[in-house]
Every structure is written in structure tokens, then in C-alpha cells.
């Protein structure tokens, strides 16, 4: 039992907006509802799936799920009893004051494995710090904090069908600026721009050695159709499920599907075991 899942979500279902919950719930199972209220249940589910570690996303998004920074602290608290197996991924909102951003990043710093930003649910472009874009200085502050403190940043790329998601912000090409301007920052491109920007995601992966691909949210069976030259970038890929996204049957089912792909055992081990500790602070 040493597999690792780099990307799942745990949300207090009674505290999110009704419309978001309605959009999410038909796709979630009873088990998922239990997981959200009990870390012990998640550990049991992980044991059953052969998973040693999972990383749990959080991000404030008044625009979509309706929660602010309290979601980040909920996830940190949720993981606190099992820190050898549950890894909270923190966040801030780029629309916050620079002062508040620094305060919150410093407060989270000792607890988090990485930082998550969700352009599609937080309504910004990852390169908005640039003058020719919006000159949004708060983004620069977040990237510098992460870079200086050796914390990776995950960016959601690709679509989302949840209420008030703005898909245009999910274009992986915006990461070209970020990778150019912050060469020491470890960038994790979540979902590889699926389902229609994989060519851009592949280009970014090849161009920048500090960019990693989190394959969560891509049905494992489709991975090699989405990325026909997968082996070229596979060394910097990390396995994740994106529970409870549509199409993710469960932690165990998703992992088994990935492990049955026709790629080498060595690569599978890098992607689903070793790379987790390389990109996350564990
Ligand atoms: Zn996700």
C-alpha cells in the first residue's frame, strides 16, 4: 500500500451554495458524503484502495461554491489527525488585498503541502499580473511566496461545468507567461487542459521543465488518447483522481484503471508513487 493520489476535494457539503451542491451531488455517492464529514472514513476508503497518501484541495471561491478562506482552514483542520496520510493544499484568492494574502499564506505555511489556484472558479487569468494583461500584483505576490518557500502551485486547467465557472480562464497557455517569469516556481498543471486544450498543455510540458502534469480529472482509460505522445512527458506526471468530479467512480476504481494502462511499470511507479513526494512538501 504505497500509492498516492495528488488531487481530491473534501468540502463541507452543508456550508456550500445550494446550486453548487445540486450540481455536484447527483454525481457524488453516499460514500463521498460520509468522507466529507469524517476523515476516518476517508482513511478507510484509502486503505481499501491501496492508497498511502492523498492531497486535499481547497480554494476560496465566493463565485462558485460560495465559501471563502474558511474552506482552506476547514481542510487543514480535517487533515490534522492524519498528517502522515492526508496532505492539505492551501490557497488564497487573487482578488484579496496583498496584505491579507501574505497574512493568510504565512498562517497556512506550516500546514500545507502546496498552493492551489482555480482560475475557472476564481475568475482570473494566471498571467494577469503582467502589465499588458490586468497588472494584478497580488498574483505576483503569491507566485513569489511559493517560489521563495519552495511550495508548488497547482492551477486548474480545462473546463468545469459547475455553476458560474468561467471556462475561458482554463486555457493552459496562460501558464507560458508564469513559467517564463518564475523559473524557480514548480507549476502543476491540473487536468492537462482537458477536454480540448491538450495540445497546448503538451507544448507547455515540453517547453518548461518546472511544469508538472497532474492527470486527475482525465478518465485514465482516455489518457493515452488525450496525450498520444504521453511517454515523452510521463516523467513529470503525477497521478490523481479529482474525486468527486463527474466520471470519477471512486478512489479505488480510478487508481485500478490507471494501473491497467499499457505503460511501463517504472513509469507507473513514478507517476503514482514517487512524484508525489517530489512536488509536494511532505
Ligand atoms: Zn479538482
Amino acid at each position: 500500500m504505497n500509492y498516492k493520489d495528488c488531487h481530491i476535494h473534501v468540502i463541507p457539503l452543508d456550508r456550500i451554495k445550494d446550486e453548487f451542491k445540486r450540481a455536484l451531488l447527483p454525481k457524488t455517492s453516499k460514500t463521498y458524503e460520509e468522507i466529507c464529514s469524517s476523515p476516518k472514513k476517508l482513511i478507510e476508503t484509502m486503505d481499501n484502495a491501496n492508497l498511502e497518501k492523498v492531497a486535499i484541495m481547497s480554494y476560496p471561491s465566493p463565485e462558485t461554491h460560495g465559501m471563502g478562506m474558511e474552506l482552506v482552514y476547514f481542510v487543514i483542520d480535517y487533515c490534522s489527525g492524519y498528517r502522515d496520510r492526508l496532505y492539505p493544499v492551501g490557497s488564497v484568492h487573487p482578488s484579496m488585498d496583498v496584505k491579507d494574502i501574505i497574512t493568510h499564506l504565512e498562517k497556512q505555511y506550516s500546514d500545507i503541502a502546496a498552493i492551489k489556484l482555480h482560475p475557472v472558479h476564481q475568475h482570473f487569468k494566471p498571467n494577469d499580473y503582467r502589465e499588458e494583461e490586468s497588472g494584478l500584483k497580488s498574483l505576483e505576490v503569491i507566485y513569489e511566496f511559493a517560489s521563495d518557500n519552495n511550495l508548488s502551485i497547482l492551477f486548474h486547467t480545462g473546463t468545469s461545468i459547475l455553476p458560474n465557472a468561467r471556462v475561458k480562464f482554463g486555457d493552459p497557455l496562460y501558464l507560458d507567461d508564469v513559467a517564463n517569469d518564475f523559473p524557480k516556481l514548480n507549476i502543476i498543471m491540473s487536468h492537462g487542459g482537458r477536454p480540448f486544450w491538450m495540445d497546448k498543455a503538451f507544448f507547455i510540458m515540453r517547453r518548461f521543465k518546472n511544469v508538472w502534469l497532474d492527470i486527475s480529472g482525465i478518465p485514465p482509460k482516455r489518457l493515452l488518447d488525450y496525450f498520444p505522445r504521453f511517454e515523452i512527458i510521463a516523467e513529470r506526471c503525477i497521478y490523481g483522481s479529482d474525486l468527486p468530479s463527474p466520471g470519477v467512480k471512486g478512489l479505488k476504481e480510478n487508481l485500478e484503471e490507471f494501473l491497467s494502462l499499457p505503460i511501463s511499470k517504472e513509469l507507473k511507479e513514478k507517476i503514482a508513487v514517487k512524484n508525489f513526494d517530489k512536488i509536494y512538501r511532505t
Side-chain angles (χ1 to χ4, degrees), residues 48-217:
N48 185 250
N50 250 350
L51 282 166
E52 183 194 349
K53 299 178 181 179
V54 305
I56 305 179
M57 303 295 122
S58 71
Y59 57 92
S61 175
E63 297 89 342
T64 60
H65 55 64
M67 290 185 74
M69 288 303 296
E70 66 274 18
L71 178 58
V72 174
Y73 298 106
F74 166 86
V75 169
I76 289 174
D77 190 50
Y78 179 96
C79 297
S80 61
Y82 301 91
R83 278 300 274 111
D84 54 334
R85 302 191 59 193
L86 307 183
Y87 291 83
V89 173
S91 187
V92 285
H93 198 299
S95 71
M96 286 159 57
D97 285 349
V98 165
K99 211 171 128 252
D100 289 343
I101 284 178
I102 294 170
T103 306
H104 279 291
L105 288 175
E106 283 175 350
K107 194 170 158 192
Q108 293 164 49
Y109 175 69
S110 58
D111 291 309
I112 59 177
I115 294 171
K116 157 86 177 235
L117 293 174
H118 202 315
V120 174
H121 286 187
Q122 294 177 316
H123 299 180
F124 71 96
K125 299 202 300 294
N127 63 352
D128 267 339
Y129 59 90
R130 291 190 58 84
E131 286 309 323
E132 76 271 20
E133 302 295 334
S134 319
L136 184 65
K137 289 296 158 204
S138 60
L139 274 178
E140 219 165 58
V141 170
I142 301 167
Y143 300 162
E144 272 162 12
F145 183 93
S147 193
D148 292 348
N149 290 289
N150 205 19
L151 281 172
S152 304
I153 301 186
L154 290 99
F155 291 89
H156 174 105
T157 63
T159 59
S160 162
I161 52 165
L162 292 169
N164 208 25
R166 301 300 157 112
V167 172
K168 64 186 173 192
F169 297 120
D171 190 333
L173 205 58
Y174 298 131
L175 296 176
D176 178 68
D177 275 335
V178 185
N180 263 306
D181 294 336
F182 299 88
K184 282 195 282 177
L185 176 65
N186 266 333
I187 294 169
I188 304 170
M189 186 165 46
S190 293
H191 325 311
R194 63 90 180 87
F196 44 64
W197 283 311
M198 288 80 75
D199 50 349
K200 293 181 181 180
F202 186 77
F203 169 80
I204 297 285
M205 281 296 290
R206 293 197 73 186
R207 180 163 190 215
F208 300 104
K209 301 296 171 240
N210 57 328
V211 179
W212 296 68
L213 175 64
D214 149 19
I215 62 169
S216 69

Side-chain angles (χ1 to χ4, degrees), residues 241-255:
S241 62
D242 203 19
L243 187 83
S245 277
V248 182
K249 288 181 212 105
L251 293 180
K252 184 180 162 85
E253 293 83 348
N254 208 80
L255 177 62

